[in-house]
């Protein structure tokens, strides 16, 4: 099956197996992502002694993903998705070890290096959603992509909820405070690495490349390329991700201030961890839980309509952040809507980018999209810390709304989108 042409039945079987393996890998990888999102800003604020620098934690995650997105995409184009994904797992494993070391010796730059490496591993997780489309039938591309995105729900929700148990485990084995849940992350990343090495066969991208070459030779035609639509898809994905990442990055710090303001001296680290853990778990659930719904809608309604639905949800999230951001329930609702909006825009935008690009250009553009998405979010996270310090949570919501408006205004660029 790996050396010759795939029949239609074989392609369907390989695609089902691929989606299953990628989904299991995302469950495992999501644990590390969820823990880093929850703990990164708190660790950065604690070690650096400055809330304004806490945004550098999320910035480092996104910067690491940005730096590795294009190299991993190029590696995938040459050697296949399997090797690119396993290399991402190795980056994450090293990053987790460095974060634990940095927390032990309390060296802020070393902490950022470790988080950056975890972000490099997250570049592999991002690539998984595109890997789900390599062999997918066009009419099911959004669905298959969204199933892999949805699978991150389990690990992404479990990661923040493991903060409490992680602290118990970490204390029992002598780990630094607030790093215990990384034990679970390390084990999960090891399991994901083994899974990809053993089970992701045949490689979906290499098989898809062979099929595209055979089809071109048989028909003498090449696939249609729509660069303007692809550019809009890249912008929509990146802009939606910046909105999500910038608000989400500052929410743990904002909630920490709220907890201390409500309880005064009675507020304990456990109180803060519980509030942050529950809120981020709800947010991550919003990011992934309904992604199959958005995938099916993207297949039936069209990619652009679902991208715009995402902007409506993001706009609602920012409205809650502005008007109810001083209440814990208001922040929770805002973070849930923020996750849902990101999910709709990311699933539909990734499907739009894939189908707007000719096969020989897809992997390259996918890498560029992931890199731009992560670089923009890194810059947004740094600026978010400054905005939060000077204009509070409501000011952050107002600033982020500019990007939502831009994505809506520029949507006519993708009006050629078909179902």
């Amino acid at each position: 099956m790996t050396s010759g042409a795939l029949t239609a039945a074989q392609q369907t079987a390989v695609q089902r197996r691929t989606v299953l393996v990628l989904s299991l890998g995302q469950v495992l990888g999501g644990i590390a992502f969820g823990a880093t999102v929850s703990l990164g800003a708190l660790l950065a604020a604690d070690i650096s002694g400055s809330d304004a620098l806490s945004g550098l934690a999320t910035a480092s995650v996104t910067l690491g993903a940005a730096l590795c997105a294009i190299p991993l995409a190029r590696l995938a184009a040459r050697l296949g998705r399997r090797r690119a994904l396993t290399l991402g797992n190795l980056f994450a494993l090293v990053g987790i070890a460095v974060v634990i070391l940095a927390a032990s010796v309390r060296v802020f730059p070393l902490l950022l290096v470790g988080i950056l490496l975890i972000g490099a591993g997250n570049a592999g997780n991002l690539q998984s959603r595109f890997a789900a489309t390599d062999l997918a039938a066009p009419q099911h591309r959004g669905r298959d992509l969204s199933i892999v995105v949805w699978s991150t729900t389990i690990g992404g929700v479990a990661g923040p909820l493991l903060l409490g148990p992680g602290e118990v485990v970490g204390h029992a084995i002598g780990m630094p405070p607030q790093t215990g849940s990384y034990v679970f992350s390390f084990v999960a990343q090891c399991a994901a690495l083994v899974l990809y090495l053993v089970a992701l066969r045949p490689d979906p991208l290499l098989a898809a490349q062979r099929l595209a070459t055979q089809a071109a030779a048989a028909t003498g035609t090449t696939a249609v390329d729509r660069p303007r639509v692809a550019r809009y898809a890249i912008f929509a994905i990146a802009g939606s991700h910046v909105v999500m990442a910038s608000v989400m990055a500052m929410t743990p710090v904002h909630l920490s201030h709220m907890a201390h303001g409500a309880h005064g001296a009675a507020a304990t680290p456990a109180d803060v961890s519980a509030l942050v853990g529950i809120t981020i778990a709800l947010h991550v659930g919003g990011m992934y839980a309904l992604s199959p719904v958005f995938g099916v809608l993207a297949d039936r309604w069209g990619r652009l309509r679902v991208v715009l639905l995402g902007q409506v949800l993001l706009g609602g999230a920012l409205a809650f952040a502005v008007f109810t951001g001083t209440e814990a329930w208001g922040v929770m609702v805002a973070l849930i809507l923020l996750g849902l909006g990101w999910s709709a825009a990311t699933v539909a935008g990734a499907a739009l980018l894939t189908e707007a690009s000719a096969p020989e250009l897809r992997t390259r553009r996918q890498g560029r999209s992931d890199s731009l998405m992560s670089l923009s979010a890194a810059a947004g996270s740094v600026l978010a810390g400054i905005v939060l310090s000077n204009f509070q949570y409501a000011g952050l919501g107002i600033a982020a709304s500019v990007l939502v408006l831009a994505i809506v205004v520029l949507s006519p660029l993708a009006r050629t989108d078909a179902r």
Side-chain angles (χ1 to χ4, degrees), residues 218-270:
T219 62
T221 60
T222 57
V224 176
D225 186 57
R226 296 181 290 164
R228 187 178 71 174
V229 178
R231 284 193 292 269
Y232 173 79
I234 291 173
F235 172 71
I237 293 170
S240 301
H241 190 67
V242 170
V243 173
M244 184 278 294
S246 59
V247 176
M248 184 252 326
M250 291 300 100
T251 296
V253 177
H254 176 63
L255 290 174
S256 177
H257 292 163
M258 287 177 55
H260 287 293
H263 299 287
T268 65

Side-chain angles (χ1 to χ4, degrees), residues 73-84 203 205-206 209:
R74 289 177 177 173
L75 178 64
R78 292 197 312 270
L79 302 176
R81 299 286 191 189
R82 182 167 57 89
R83 296 192 181 184
D203 190 280
L205 181 56
L206 298 182
Q209 289 171 344

Side-chain angles (χ1 to χ4, degrees), residues 33 41-42 51 58 180 217 249 256-257 279 327 344-345 354 376 395 408 412 419:
F33 172 73
L42 294 176
D51 287 345
T58 302
S256 177
H257 292 163
T279 303
E327 302 289 337
T354 298
S376 301
V408 174
R419 286 183 58 185

